[in-house]
Amino acid sequence: MPSKNPQVPGDTPPVPGADPGAVRNRPGRSGGRSPLVRFLTRRVLTALLLAVGITLVTFVLTNLVPGDPVSANLGQRALGDPAIVAQWRSEHGLDKPLPQQYLLHLQGVIQGDLGTSQQSHRPVLDDLAESVPATLELAGAAILISLVAGVAFGVVAALRRDRLSDHLLRILSLIGISVPTFWLALMAFYVFFYRLQVTPGSGRIDPGMSPPPQVTGLYTVDSALAGQWDVFSSAVGHLITPALVLALYTIGLLTRFTRSAVLEVLGQDYVRAARAKGLPSRVILFRYVLRSALVPIITVAGLAFGSLLSGTVLVEAIFAWPGVGQYAYKSATTLDLPAVMGVGLVVGGVYLVINLIVDVLYGVIDPRVRLQ
């Protein structure tokens, strides 16, 4: 006798006692977006709202800085002429109410116009296009060194818990976290360049060399793309010392976090079950332990990369590295408000992008994040 509810080919057969609509409304089926797409959509919308908030915060904090940008940018003779002062304020929009100034600033940001620097008399976006790649190259090299060394040291310390190597690595990580970065930069420059002369001096390349044709703004990448291996060698040589100085703190941080995360995973039941099954130690480490421990490691690495981008002022000053740190310092000392707000937007945008990438990696590594 034919069934009253014939099954359509391709449908999942009903389970006795289950809700008939459960199969139809299961995430990932046609008629609904996958959990990962919904997860990413929420994160992108949140990032857009935060971006608007960043523009407001940078604008308010910049205008709360004590000091008069007029007196910082005009000479004493010009300050005595009210007509010149009024003209300067009008040219830079400082004669308008603060809410109107913010709306004009937000409109410019949306259109890609961050204003004109009061010192270089160039668009702030052009100045940042020259300084941001230098800082990205320095911070990228530092975070790459930190990830390789910090994760490796943390895993070794966890696997050899309470042994001599564990104690030594914990002491080294504590030293890396405790030593001030600016002092370490001064010592490294003095010892390795001035005394031993084993590293090149300041700047991104040797003084007599011309920069490679600009493609990305990263001298190491651009020189390799152009086949200028002498420039590539010089750029790498100038990059190593400041990158190592910046990486020391992050290496210590990642070593401690990795050790703690790996020790926590090693005590889980599924790791004991994998050992009881006789799986090789290498398979247990990479397939079970490290994958489960990656979530806190990625969080720390993302925050560390953001702090490297925004905290390189002293290291860039010591090594004469023409990055965002030097640009921000010069802009702050001269009360160059458009440049200061531009730097604030760049740093805030970098944090937003890093957090979005970290959230995406969460969903890729841990399926529970996608389902939640």
Side-chain angles (χ1 to χ4, degrees), residues 27 45 61 87 114 141 146 152 155 160 176 178 227 234 272 278 299 342 348 364:
L45 292 177
L61 292 180
Q87 181 182 359
L114 300 182
S146 302
V155 171
R160 302 183 64 82
S178 305
S234 177
R272 297 192 187 100
T299 303
V364 172

Side-chain angles (χ1 to χ4, degrees), residues 174-188:
L174 183 61
I175 293 174
I177 295 174
S178 305
V179 175
T181 304
F182 73 91
W183 181 86
L184 184 64
L186 286 172
M187 291 298 100

